[in-house]
Amino acid sequence: MALVIAGERSGVGKTTVTLTLLASLRRRDRLVQSFKVGPDYIDPMFHQHVTGRACRNLDPVLTSEAYVQQCFAHHSQLSEYTLVEGVMGLFDGIGHREWGTCTERSRSMGHGQEKQKSTDFASTAHIARLLDLPVVLVMDCSRLSGSVAAIAHGYRSFDPRIKIAGVVLNRVGSDRHLSLLKDSLEPLQLPILGVMRRQDNITIPDRHLGLVPTAELPELNALIDRLADLGDTCFDWQRLLPLLKSEPLSGSASSSLSPSSPVRIAVARDRAFNFYYQDNLDLLQQLGAELVFWSPLKDADIPKDIQGMYFGGGFPEVFAQQLAKNTSVRDAVKTAILKGMPTVAECGGLMYLCEQIIDFEGKSWSMAGVLPTSAVMSGRLTLGYRRAVALQDNLLVKANTTVYGHEFHRSHLTLAPTQPLFETYRYDCEENMGWEGWGLPANIYASYVHLHWGESREIPQQFLKECLKVASSATWI
């Protein structure tokens, strides 16, 4: 079967409940596969730290409904238990446009007559319906007693296609408080699958883009141990374990790709650069690439004998001083790119290729200096799904190709690109979000827009094709 952990709204403790379940299952030596609804990078890091298995994102905007089903079917059947963490509140999604009479989103613009769909597209409820999975509703009870029943009843009855398996009562204050909550819920005959008391000693620190990533938390293992202790006693495992048991969906999983000629790709992965969709890395390997992980923070040089570079997102602004001090790597990156090294840089990677990063305190730190602009941190958050139309052929896609991605950053560039990669729009309407992305020199792809390649395998194929082309005419030192 498998189970979806959903919240009645953001901030009710979905991630804490999910990590508590995962930690307790792993303490029992259970093989667990986790998934995360939406485009988030950081929650999956915590999942992977606990389970030892890469968490997979389920996002029909970045991929498609069919891909979500295929991804879930393939990875869930490789484990004993499966858990899906939701996003925001259960029914919080986005507006979705349907083109023509197709049941799935069209990949081309202006095809047929568009019409507006419901606003819960890409929500936790949408994923639960797609995968036909039951939902456990996490409820923040810190300011509730009798009203908990009205909320639970509303969520259970709002969409009859959603199967609410039970609730987890979070932030319960006392035995008396719990008694009031139970008495209120009893007429609904809705199982209480867990009770978590207020926990002052279990806190995951956060900052300007959400939780602090796992690599920056030296006390994380101790925290996970406390969560496992909590999980051993706060859940109704007799009811939960059958719900969590993996049972693959009918239908075949996505087939593997035929490897092409070997290509060595240097993938920057450290505390500054760690926002990668595991599916993207898997696709590169399935296509024959050898991934060489390295650190722009600590290494003295870029890896040897590579034919391409990949800089994911992350927090280069937090480690700007350390990145700036590593002049040998900055110079090596710039030299390689100017010599024609194909390079993909998303968000934090784009910032690293700029001349400078100007941090929240207004201090300037020199970066690789490939792009004639600087990244300036500010309090303004740029957030949302994007529909991006390629304005020219570039390292990853051909002109007029439409891709779907996600932006999430608090920096802006001092200069706009003279020949941008994309014209961007909000995903759910025709609101123009402006020009975006750098493609000069022609061997780079630098953009704030994060892409998931699962439904667009031609993207990594094109990247590796360019790597092979350049490698045949140059020698990298």
Side-chain angles (χ1 to χ4, degrees), residues 155-168:
Y155 275 81
R156 185 169 67 173
S157 60
F158 183 76
D159 184 346
R161 297 171 296 176
I162 300 298
K163 298 173 290 187
I164 304 292
V167 297
V168 170

Side-chain angles (χ1 to χ4, degrees), residues 264 301-308 332 335-342 466-477:
R264 280 169 56 87
D301 200 354
I302 61 176
K304 303 296 183 184
D305 301 320
I306 58 173
Q307 291 83 44
T335 298
I337 291 175
L338 294 182
K339 288 177 62 178
M341 177 80 73
E466 293 301 315
C467 292
L468 283 172
K469 184 188 303 182
V470 174
S472 65
S473 60
T475 301
W476 303 107
I477 300 175

Side-chain angles (χ1 to χ4, degrees), residues 410-444:
R410 290 191 183 273
S411 66
H412 65 273
L413 303 183
T414 54
L415 291 176
T418 56
Q419 294 184 323
L421 296 178
F422 298 113
E423 188 164 12
T424 61
Y425 304 83
R426 273 184 52 181
Y427 169 76
D428 57 343
C429 69
E430 294 304 307
E431 181 181 349
N432 190 300
M433 303 301 292
W435 292 324
E436 207 281 327
W438 294 73
L440 288 177
N443 54 292
I444 67 168

